[in-house]
Amino acid sequence: RAKFDTELCQSLLALGNEKVVLGKTMSCDDFYEGQGRLDGAICDYTLEDKMKFLNKAHFEAGVLNIEMESLQFGAFTNHIGVKA
Protein backbone atom coordinates (compact mmCIF):
# COMPACT_ATOMS: atom_id res chain seq x y z
CA ARG A 1 0.00 0.00 0.00
CA ALA A 2 1.35 3.40 -0.97
CA LYS A 3 1.22 5.89 1.86
CA PHE A 4 2.87 9.27 2.18
CA ASP A 5 3.45 11.10 5.46
CA THR A 6 1.44 14.34 5.52
CA GLU A 7 3.54 15.91 8.29
CA LEU A 8 6.75 15.23 6.35
CA CYS A 9 5.21 16.69 3.19
CA GLN A 10 4.22 19.85 5.07
CA SER A 11 7.73 20.16 6.54
CA LEU A 12 9.35 19.81 3.12
CA LEU A 13 6.91 22.32 1.66
CA ALA A 14 7.89 24.86 4.32
CA LEU A 15 11.59 24.55 3.36
CA GLY A 16 11.21 25.60 -0.25
CA ASN A 17 11.20 28.94 -1.97
CA GLU A 18 9.43 27.63 -5.07
CA LYS A 19 5.68 27.57 -5.58
CA VAL A 20 4.59 24.04 -4.69
CA VAL A 21 1.14 22.55 -4.30
CA LEU A 22 0.40 19.47 -2.22
CA GLY A 23 -2.24 17.25 -3.76
CA LYS A 24 -3.20 13.93 -5.25
CA THR A 25 -1.03 12.28 -7.85
CA MET A 26 -2.54 9.63 -10.09
CA SER A 27 -0.14 6.86 -11.00
CA CYS A 28 -0.42 4.91 -14.23
CA ASP A 29 1.46 2.14 -15.99
CA ASP A 30 2.59 3.97 -19.10
CA PHE A 31 3.73 7.36 -20.37
CA TYR A 32 1.06 8.10 -22.93
CA GLU A 33 -2.34 6.46 -23.07
CA GLY A 34 -2.73 6.04 -19.29
CA GLN A 35 -2.12 9.75 -18.84
CA GLY A 36 -4.64 10.78 -21.48
CA ARG A 37 -1.98 11.87 -23.95
CA LEU A 38 -2.71 11.77 -27.66
CA ASP A 39 0.92 11.55 -28.85
CA GLY A 40 1.66 7.91 -28.02
CA ALA A 41 2.16 5.07 -30.47
CA ILE A 42 -1.32 3.70 -29.77
CA CYS A 43 -4.19 6.07 -29.23
CA ASP A 44 -7.73 4.70 -29.11
CA TYR A 45 -9.53 7.84 -27.96
CA THR A 46 -10.33 11.35 -29.11
CA LEU A 47 -9.47 14.77 -27.75
CA GLU A 48 -13.00 14.87 -26.29
CA ASP A 49 -12.39 11.52 -24.53
CA LYS A 50 -9.09 12.85 -23.18
CA MET A 51 -10.68 16.00 -21.77
CA LYS A 52 -13.53 14.04 -20.17
CA PHE A 53 -10.98 11.76 -18.51
CA LEU A 54 -8.76 14.62 -17.28
CA ASN A 55 -11.70 16.69 -16.05
CA LYS A 56 -13.14 13.73 -14.16
CA ALA A 57 -9.77 12.96 -12.59
CA HIS A 58 -9.26 16.58 -11.57
CA PHE A 59 -12.73 17.78 -10.60
CA GLU A 60 -14.21 14.56 -9.21
CA ALA A 61 -11.13 12.86 -7.74
CA GLY A 62 -8.95 15.90 -6.99
CA VAL A 63 -5.98 14.75 -9.08
CA LEU A 64 -3.36 17.46 -9.63
CA ASN A 65 -0.62 15.40 -11.27
CA ILE A 66 -0.21 12.21 -13.33
CA GLU A 67 2.97 10.17 -13.44
CA MET A 68 4.33 6.64 -13.07
CA GLU A 69 6.80 6.42 -10.20
CA SER A 70 5.28 7.73 -6.97
CA LEU A 71 2.94 4.78 -6.35
CA GLN A 72 5.83 2.30 -6.33
CA PHE A 73 8.00 4.67 -4.29
CA GLY A 74 5.24 5.20 -1.71
CA ALA A 75 4.48 1.49 -1.43
CA PHE A 76 8.16 0.60 -1.06
CA THR A 77 8.97 3.21 1.58
CA ASN A 78 5.77 2.41 3.50
CA HIS A 79 6.63 -1.30 3.46
CA ILE A 80 10.11 -0.75 4.94
CA GLY A 81 8.89 1.84 7.46
CA VAL A 82 10.54 4.91 5.96
CA LYS A 83 8.54 8.15 5.90
CA ALA A 84 8.14 9.59 2.44
Side-chain angles (χ1 to χ4, degrees):
R1 177 176 171 213
K3 184 176 180 182
F4 292 94
D5 186 271
T6 304
E7 188 176 311
L8 177 60
C9 291
Q10 292 291 343
S11 296
L12 291 172
L13 182 64
L15 293 174
N17 294 324
E18 301 295 324
K19 180 180 178 185
V20 177
V21 177
L22 292 180
K24 290 182 183 178
T25 293
M26 183 175 84
S27 192
C28 59
D29 61 2
D30 60 24
F31 286 111
Y32 297 98
E33 290 78 23
Q35 297 181 19
R37 292 176 56 177
L38 300 174
D39 56 342
I42 303 168
C43 185
D44 295 327
Y45 48 87
T46 65
L47 177 60
E48 182 181 347
D49 295 332
K50 169 188 172 170
M51 295 314 296
K52 277 185 186 177
F53 168 72
L54 292 176
N55 282 321
K56 184 174 183 176
H58 179 70
F59 293 111
E60 293 181 28
V63 172
L64 299 180
N65 180 48
I66 303 173
E67 53 79 83
M68 295 175 54
E69 297 82 13
S70 68
L71 180 66
Q72 291 80 7
F73 178 76
F76 177 77
T77 55
N78 185 52
H79 181 72
I80 62 172
V82 173
K83 289 183 180 183

